[in-house]
Amino acid sequence: MSGEHRPADPSAARARRLSDAAALVTAAAPPVLALAVLVAVWEAWVRLGQVREYLLPPPSAVGAALVDEPGRYATAAAETAAAAAGGLVLATVAAMLLAVAMAHSRAVERALYPPALLLKLTPIVAVYPLFTIWFGFGLWPKMLVAALITFFPTLVNAVVGLRSVDPAALDLLRSLDASPPQILMRLRLPSALPYLFAALRISVPLALIGAVVAEFLSGDGGMGQLILIANGDLDTATLFAAVVVLVALGVLLTGLLAYSERRVLFWHASTGDM
Amino acid sequence: MAPATAPGAALADASPPALLVRGLSHLYRSPAGDVAALDSAALAVGAGEFVALVGPSGCGKTTLLRIAAGLLAPRPQPGDAAPTVELFGASPDAARRGRWIGLVAQEPGLLPWLTVERNVRLAAELAGVRADVPALLERVGIAEFALHHPAELSGGMRQRVALARALAHAPRLLLMDEPLGALDELSREALRLELLALWERDRVSVLFVTHSIREAVLLADRVFVMGERPGRVLAELDVALPRPRGEELVATPAFVGLESEVRAALGRRGAPA
C-alpha cells in the first residue's frame, strides 16, 4: 500500500534513501559515542579502582557472560518474548472487541468502564498466586499477567479512536445508507488505528515487565528465572547480561512496532516523527 | 421578489419537486436552554433546478441541509404542526435508503487511507452500483491523481474528489453545504466555474448552501435568502440570467442588480460578496 502513491522516479528515490542513511548516521552518532564513552569509563573505573566484581562487574565480564552461553540467553529471551507478545495480542484483541461494544453504546460503556478501571487499579502481581492455582505453570499465567497489564491503555485508546471519526466522512457514509457494520469496518476501525498504535507503544514495555515479573514469581523459565538464579549465585555479570538482553528485546519489539506503524499508518501525520 | 410564503408555487402542478420543505422548525437542546435553529423554514428545489440557499453563518442552513439528507431528524417547537420535508415526494429516510442523495460538505471528508480512486469507488460500492470512476475523475479534472492519497492533494483538489464521490452513484439530488467555503479565493473562483460548466451539462437537481452572494447568483436558477436566529427563509429570488454562464457575467448590470437584491434581502448592505 505504502509505495503506490509515491511518484515513480528511481534516481530520486535512491538519492532520498542515501540522504536518509546519512541523516540516520548523523542522528545515531552522538548517542552511540556517548554510550561507548560510558562503557570505557566504567571498565577503567572497575579495573583501576579495584571494585569487587560481585558489586559491579566490568563491561568485559558482562560481554564474556553473554558470549559464553548465548543459547541460554536466547532460550530465556524467547520464552519471555513469547509471554509478552502473546499477552499483548490477547489484550489487544479483547480490548478491541470490548471497545467496539463500548463505542457503539453509552450504556455498555457505563456498565463496563468501572470494572475495567478496577482491573487497572488491581496490582496484578498480587493476583498472580491465583493464576498459578488456576492455570499451573507454563506460558498461560505469564501471558495473562502481560495481558492484564496492557489491557486498559489499549481499551481506553481504542474507545477514543473508534469515536474520533471525521464527522464529514461519517455524514457521507450515512447519506449513502451505510450500515453500522459497514461504518465500523470502513471508517471507525481505520480511524482508530493511530490510537491503537499509540497504545501499543505504551503496552510493549509494559508487557515485557509483566512477563518478567511473572517469571520472578513463578520461577518458571524465561529471563525472570535466569535473573533469579544469577541473583542467588551473586553472579552479577550474568545479572547485567540479562538486563542487556532485556533491553535488546525491548528495542527489538519497539522497532518492529515502529516499522509496522510506518507501513500501516503511512497516511497518518504522526508517522513522520516516529 | 416573490413572497417567502409560497416557495416553488409554480411547480405545484408538476411532478414532485426534488426537495420540498415547509414549516420546518428545529430546536437544538442545550443545558443553557433550547436554541431555535430553524423557524418555519420553507423552500423548494424543482427537478433539474439549481437552487442556492444564502444566509449568514449560523443561520441554520446546515441544519436544513442535514435534515433534508436524512442525517438529522427535525425537532419542532412544542405544539407546532409536523413539518413537510419531501424529496421527490418521499421522506428523507426513504431518499437516503434509495441512495438518491449526493452530499458535498465544506470539509471533503475523504478517507485518508484510501487513494483518490478508491475514495470515489467507495460511494458506488456502498450504494451497490457500478461506477465509471476514471470517467468521473476525468470530469472533475483529477484523472492524473487517481492513485494519490488525499494528504498529497490541495484543498481544491480534495473538493474535486468529494464532488466526484458525490456523483459516483448518480444521485437525483445534490446537497452541497458550502463546498467552496474552505478554499482560498483563487481555487474558489476556478472551482465554481468548473462546477457551473459541470452542472450545465448534467442538470442534476442541486441545493447549494453558501454565504457568498456572488456564488449564489452566478450558479443558481433561484436563490432563497435566510435570516438569522432562528433561521427562516426571508425571500426567494429568480435568477433570470441566460445559460451557459461565465465569469464575465458578474460585471453586467443585471448580475450586479441581482446581487444587491439578495444583499438587501439579507439586510446587510455593503457586505462583501
Side-chain angles (χ1 to χ4, degrees), chain A residues 5 171 174 176 186 190, chain B residues 66 96 99 122 125 149 152:
Chain A
H5 64 292
D171 269 0
R174 288 182 55 210
L176 289 164
R186 304 274 198 158
Chain B
R66 284 174 55 87
R96 200 188 62 224
R99 275 82 173 210
L122 173 71
E125 278 172 19
H149 286 83
E152 298 168 306

Side-chain angles (χ1 to χ4, degrees), chain A residues 1 4-7 166-178 182 186-188 190-191 266-267, chain B residues 66 70-71 96-97 99 101 103 107 109-113 115 122-123 125-127 147-149 152 165 169:
Chain A
M1 283 286 280
E4 69 191 34
H5 64 292
R6 298 270 175 239
D166 176 359
L170 183 60
D171 269 0
L172 188 278
L173 261 64
R174 288 182 55 210
S175 81
L176 289 164
D177 204 38
Q182 280 173 326
R186 304 274 198 158
L187 182 61
R188 288 193 190 279
S191 300
F266 64 91
W267 50 272
Chain B
R66 284 174 55 87
L71 297 170
R96 200 188 62 224
R97 280 195 297 275
R99 275 82 173 210
I101 300 161
L103 193 66
E107 298 302 323
L110 302 174
L111 305 187
W113 50 88
T115 60
L122 173 71
E125 278 172 19
L126 287 173
L147 297 181
H148 286 238
H149 286 83
E152 298 168 306
R165 181 181 57 180
H169 60 293

Side-chain angles (χ1 to χ4, degrees), chain A residues 174, chain B residues 21-30 33-42 58-68 70-85 92 226-233:
Chain A
R174 288 182 55 210
Chain B
V21 174
R22 288 203 196 291
L24 178 59
S25 300
H26 186 80
L27 286 180
Y28 279 114
R29 285 188 204 284
S30 132
D34 293 350
V35 180
L38 290 171
D39 181 22
S40 313
C59 72
K61 304 183 298 267
T62 297
T63 303
L64 190 151
L65 185 129
R66 284 174 55 87
I67 290 173
L71 297 170
L72 183 67
R75 190 182 291 134
Q77 320 258 9
D80 273 12
T84 302
V85 181
M226 264 182 97
E228 217 169 346
R229 264 171 234 287
R232 64 176 87 203
V233 174

Side-chain angles (χ1 to χ4, degrees), chain B:
Chain B
M1 198 188 306
T5 44
L11 302 151
D13 52 356
S15 55
L19 175 64
L20 181 67
V21 174
R22 288 203 196 291
L24 178 59
S25 300
H26 186 80
L27 286 180
Y28 279 114
R29 285 188 204 284
S30 132
D34 293 350
V35 180
L38 290 171
D39 181 22
S40 313
L43 61 77
V45 179
E49 197 181 24
F50 196 123
V51 168
L53 179 60
V54 189
S57 300
C59 72
K61 304 183 298 267
T62 297
T63 303
L64 190 151
L65 185 129
R66 284 174 55 87
I67 290 173
L71 297 170
L72 183 67
R75 190 182 291 134
Q77 320 258 9
D80 273 12
T84 302
V85 181
E86 286 177 0
L87 290 82
F88 304 97
S91 72
D93 275 340
R96 200 188 62 224
R97 280 195 297 275
R99 275 82 173 210
W100 295 348
I101 300 161
L103 193 66
V104 184
Q106 185 171 352
E107 298 302 323
L110 302 174
L111 305 187
W113 50 88
L114 297 183
T115 60
V116 163
E117 194 266 345
R118 300 265 315 265
N119 261 292
V120 174
R121 197 173 291 288
L122 173 71
E125 278 172 19
L126 287 173
V129 297
R130 283 175 169 279
D132 187 352
V133 176
L136 277 166
L137 296 180
E138 190 73 54
R139 273 173 64 195
V140 299
I142 45 167
E144 67 269 43
F145 296 100
L147 297 181
H148 286 238
H149 286 83
E152 298 168 306
L153 305 181
S154 68
M157 294 289 197
R158 285 181 216 168
Q159 277 306 48
R160 287 164 198 262
V161 182
L163 182 61
R165 181 181 57 180
L167 296 170
H169 60 293
R172 299 175 69 184
L173 173 64
L174 264 184
L175 295 172
M176 305 177 96
D177 188 6
E178 302 198 22
L180 312 179
L183 303 183
D184 64 273
E185 196 52 38
L186 288 176
S187 333
R188 190 172 178 137
E189 276 188 21
L191 205 50
R192 84 176 155 219
L193 288 177
E194 287 191 44
L195 188 61
L196 190 60
L198 197 72
W199 180 80
E200 284 179 344
R201 252 184 23 194
D202 291 8
R203 303 271 172 151
V204 60
S205 314
V206 177
L207 177 64
F208 186 92
V209 167
T210 177
H211 55 243
S212 160
I213 297 168
R214 172 163 298 181
E215 213 160 85
V217 175
L218 182 63
L219 292 169
D221 298 315
R222 232 138 36 92
V223 177
F224 287 90
V225 177
M226 264 182 97
E228 217 169 346
R229 264 171 234 287
R232 64 176 87 203
V233 174
L234 300 175
E236 174 187 355
L237 289 96
D238 277 317
V239 182
L241 297 171
R243 291 186 187 271
R245 299 176 187 167
E247 192 74 33
E248 69 284 351
L249 200 63
V250 302
T252 63
F255 191 93
V256 174
L258 279 163
E259 273 189 327
S260 43
E261 268 189 68
V262 174
R263 194 167 293 128
L266 277 164
R268 21 168 237 181
R269 249 168 246 280

